[in-house]
Amino acid sequence: MHVFYSDQFVLPLPPGHRFPMAKYAALRARVAASGLVDPSEMHVPERATREQLALAHDPGYVDRVCRGELSAREQREIGFPWSEAMVERSLRSTGATIGACRAALIHQSFAVNLAGGTHHASRDHGDGYCVFNDSAVAARVMQAERRADRVLVVDCDVHQGDGTASILAGDDTIFTFSIHGAKNYPFKKQASDLDIDLPDRTGDADYLAALDRGLTEALARARPDLAIYLAGADPYEGDRLGRLALTKEGLAQRDRLALRTLREAHVPTAISMAGGYAKELDDVVEIHFTTVSIAAELSE
């Protein structure tokens, strides 16, 4: 199973910033120490190119990001101060999902981006800690390279994938499925091809039942050659921004359900980590590591 990592491209943040940048290096260290993945199958991704980004984003927005021309308001909406390191990080993280999609299709299995899931970025602006939308870009790149005709995005972050939905609206070759908290950010939702809105404090059983129904419908409607799975850690009951009530065991069951369903449907799948804001960083890392572990197990 091929794994792509970009944690060495650190996004500098002011003291007290709530984005858990440290989780990425901690996750890679744990994956590397576990022996789950052969060292030869752990890769530093290439940068996403301007041409690749422009398949999903307005070229003017891409240029403003890369040249450091974002307004103060645009930077506030993204949630990060602009820096050259922020640009490099965003290009590498998007490139990691592109790489994972290629590897999944070549090997007809699972591949992992240890970051990614930046699903709030829209065509002409970033938002919610998301600069570029790695899922939308990667899906379009796979189509442009003629590796896949039809793509399914399964978004299990606790927040709706509004940017992905808006970028891909009207594109019947890429199906967007988001299961998320109804009352959580973003407060103005976009229309995915399939949305499942869950009430606050939804627990394991109700979540898994809803996900099972959603996966069945999404696969039937999408008929995909490739899936991109956003395995957010933020539905966790201990997440500061989550508002749902899944246990760690429930999240493991979520990953097993999603990945087994996709495998049984013979759909190669790229996995990204998406969000996670638990009070204890170790909880976020453990949840993401479990996702990688289940993918490795099911790849055997």
Side-chain angles (χ1 to χ4, degrees), residues 5-12 19 21 23-25 45 80 83-95 113-116 131-132:
Y5 61 92
S6 52
D7 57 272
Q8 67 273 52
F9 305 103
V10 176
L11 169 64
F19 187 78
M21 194 70 210
K23 78 173 185 178
Y24 300 108
F80 298 142
S83 65
E84 291 184 358
M86 184 269 277
V87 177
E88 183 73 8
R89 167 75 189 176
S90 301
L91 296 176
R92 296 283 186 168
S93 182
T94 303
N113 176 5
L114 295 180
V131 180
F132 300 125

Side-chain angles (χ1 to χ4, degrees), residues 13-14 17 19 74-81 127-130:
L13 296 172
H17 198 287
F19 187 78
E74 287 177 309
Q75 292 178 61
R76 285 195 303 271
E77 289 176 345
I78 291 171
F80 298 142
D127 209 348
Y129 304 145
C130 302

Side-chain angles (χ1 to χ4, degrees), residues 5 36 48 81 101 112-113 134 156 207:
Y5 61 92
L36 286 172
C101 285
V112 179
N113 176 5
D134 61 303
C156 289
Y207 185 101

Side-chain angles (χ1 to χ4, degrees), residues 183-297:
K183 296 181 180 179
N184 211 324
Y185 178 90
F187 302 110
K188 182 179 179 181
K189 306 290 195 287
Q190 300 293 321
S192 308
D193 293 304
L194 175 60
D195 284 300
I196 296 180
D197 304 295
L198 300 171
D200 285 0
R201 307 305 301 167
T202 294
D204 294 348
D206 289 341
Y207 185 101
L208 293 167
L211 177 60
D212 192 20
R213 292 193 302 271
L215 286 168
T216 299
E217 179 178 348
L219 281 166
R221 293 171 59 188
R223 296 174 286 109
D225 308 305
L226 168 71
I228 301 173
Y229 173 52
L230 283 67
D234 44 13
Y236 174 52
E237 60 187 349
D239 196 272
R240 293 174 295 162
L241 306 180
R243 300 178 65 157
L244 298 187
L246 273 71
T247 64
K248 290 180 182 177
E249 177 57 30
L251 287 164
Q253 291 179 44
R254 174 202 68 178
D255 292 336
R256 193 172 296 279
L257 170 62
L259 296 177
R260 181 182 287 134
T261 299
L262 292 164
R263 186 191 66 175
E264 290 176 352
H266 306 290
V267 181
T269 301
I271 304 162
S272 63
M273 298 297 101
Y277 306 93
K279 295 175 184 177
E280 299 297 329
L281 186 71
D282 287 348
D283 288 333
V284 181
V285 174
E286 181 182 349
I287 291 165
H288 286 325
F289 177 72
T290 299
T291 301
V292 178
S293 299
I294 291 169
E297 173 194 332

